[in-house]
């Protein structure tokens, strides 16, 4: 059957831009009852790394864990790019060869209780992960923990919390920013126009009036 190879190609994300061949691909497996877990079907999938991504103030808001290892970049389109680095986990130092991967746990606040969302197992080469769709106005808590080969214990997980702004609110903020910029430009133009009239039209008229009075 051609179905398994086609599903494997789908997991590879061929629609993504071709990554650098020197960059390792990130293997991951999604578990849980969410939409991402249902789409992945507990299969091992691969995604290219998002190297060089920087959170710009206009289209992104970054939330960092207390230890600084995990960063959640909340984008304007509602997706969240997670990034992390091993150097922020601190001592004791562990050799890179002992690293077996990462465990990502997700939960979000409901009205009366906290609900679990998709959990992800990531390979040792992974340093980022994309949450394609996050619910608006929901407070998320994501915890990432490295996994090492025994007998080395795993360091404590680092967690980050954030809330995704509603799409309507993001549009209102963008519209207000655009209107505010237009008003500022208009005020500057009016000030320049008044200064020009005062300097070039009013001054000669006052000068002529002074000469006439003297005569």
């Amino acid at each position: 059957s051609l179905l398994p190879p086609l599903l494997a190609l789908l997991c590879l994300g061929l629609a993504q831009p071709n990554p650098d061949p020197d960059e390792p691909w990130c293997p991951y497996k999604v578990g849980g009852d969410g939409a991402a877990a249902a789409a992945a079907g507990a299969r091992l999938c691969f995604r290219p790394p998002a190297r060089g991504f920087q959170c710009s103030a206009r289209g992104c808001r970054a939330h960092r864990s207390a230890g600084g290892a995990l960063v959640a970049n909340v984008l304007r389109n509602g997706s969240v790019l997670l990034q992390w680095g091993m150097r922020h986990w601190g001592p004791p130092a562990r050799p890179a060869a002992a690293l077996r991967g990462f465990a990502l746990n997700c939960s979000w606040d409901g009205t009366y209780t906290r609900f679990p969302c998709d959990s992800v197992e990531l390979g040792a080469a992974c340093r980022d992960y994309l949450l394609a769709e996050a619910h608006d106005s929901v407070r998320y808590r994501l915890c990432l923990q490295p996994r090492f080969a025994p007998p080395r214990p795993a360091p404590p997980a680092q967690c980050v919390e954030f809330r995704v702004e509603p799409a309507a609110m993001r549009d209102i903020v963008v519209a207000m920013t655009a209107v505010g910029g237009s008003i500022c430009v208009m005020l500057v133009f009016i000030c320049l126009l008044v200064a020009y009239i005062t300097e070039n039209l009013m001054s000669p008229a006052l000068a002529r009036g002074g000469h006439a009075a003297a005569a």
Side-chain angles (χ1 to χ4, degrees):
S1 175
L2 295 177
L3 184 58
L6 291 176
L7 292 176
L9 291 176
L10 180 61
C11 283
L12 288 176
L14 296 181
Q16 298 285 343
N18 293 329
D20 189 337
D22 295 332
E23 294 284 2
W25 285 60
C26 170
Y28 68 95
K29 183 182 294 185
V30 182
D33 300 327
R43 298 185 304 270
L44 182 65
C45 296
F46 296 84
R47 62 180 301 270
R51 302 295 187 188
F53 174 84
Q54 293 184 352
C55 187
S56 62
R58 295 185 61 183
C60 173
R61 179 172 295 181
H63 303 266
R64 188 176 297 272
S65 63
L70 180 62
V71 179
N73 301 293
V74 182
L75 307 177
R76 280 185 54 195
N77 60 4
S79 60
V80 181
L81 178 64
L82 302 174
Q83 294 177 307
W84 60 88
M86 289 302 299
R87 64 185 180 88
H88 295 283
W89 251 278
R94 297 171 174 84
L99 181 63
R100 291 294 181 262
F102 302 89
L104 178 65
N105 294 315
C106 172
S107 60
W108 56 276
D109 284 336
T111 305
Y112 301 104
T113 185
R114 178 176 289 272
F115 296 93
C117 42
D118 292 328
S119 59
V120 186
E121 298 178 10
L122 301 116
C126 300
R127 293 297 182 270
D128 56 60
Y129 181 72
L130 180 66
L131 297 176
E133 295 182 0
H135 297 289
D136 293 341
S137 302
V138 172
R139 187 168 186 83
Y140 281 88
R141 177 179 174 86
L142 299 173
C143 295
L144 184 74
Q145 184 177 35
R147 297 291 177 85
F148 289 89
R152 298 180 181 275
Q158 293 209 19
C159 301
V160 61
E161 296 188 4
F162 60 88
R163 187 185 301 272
V164 180
E165 294 181 359
M169 181 62 67
R170 293 193 296 269
D171 294 339
I172 291 174
V173 171
V174 172
M176 291 179 64
T177 303
V179 171
S182 301
I183 293 175
C184 290
V185 172
M186 185 178 299
L187 290 175
V188 170
F189 177 77
I190 292 174
C191 291
L192 292 175
L193 182 61
V194 171
Y196 175 81
I197 293 175
T198 303
E199 181 70 22
N200 295 278
L201 299 181
M202 299 296 293
S203 297
L206 292 174
R208 288 195 298 270
H211 290 310

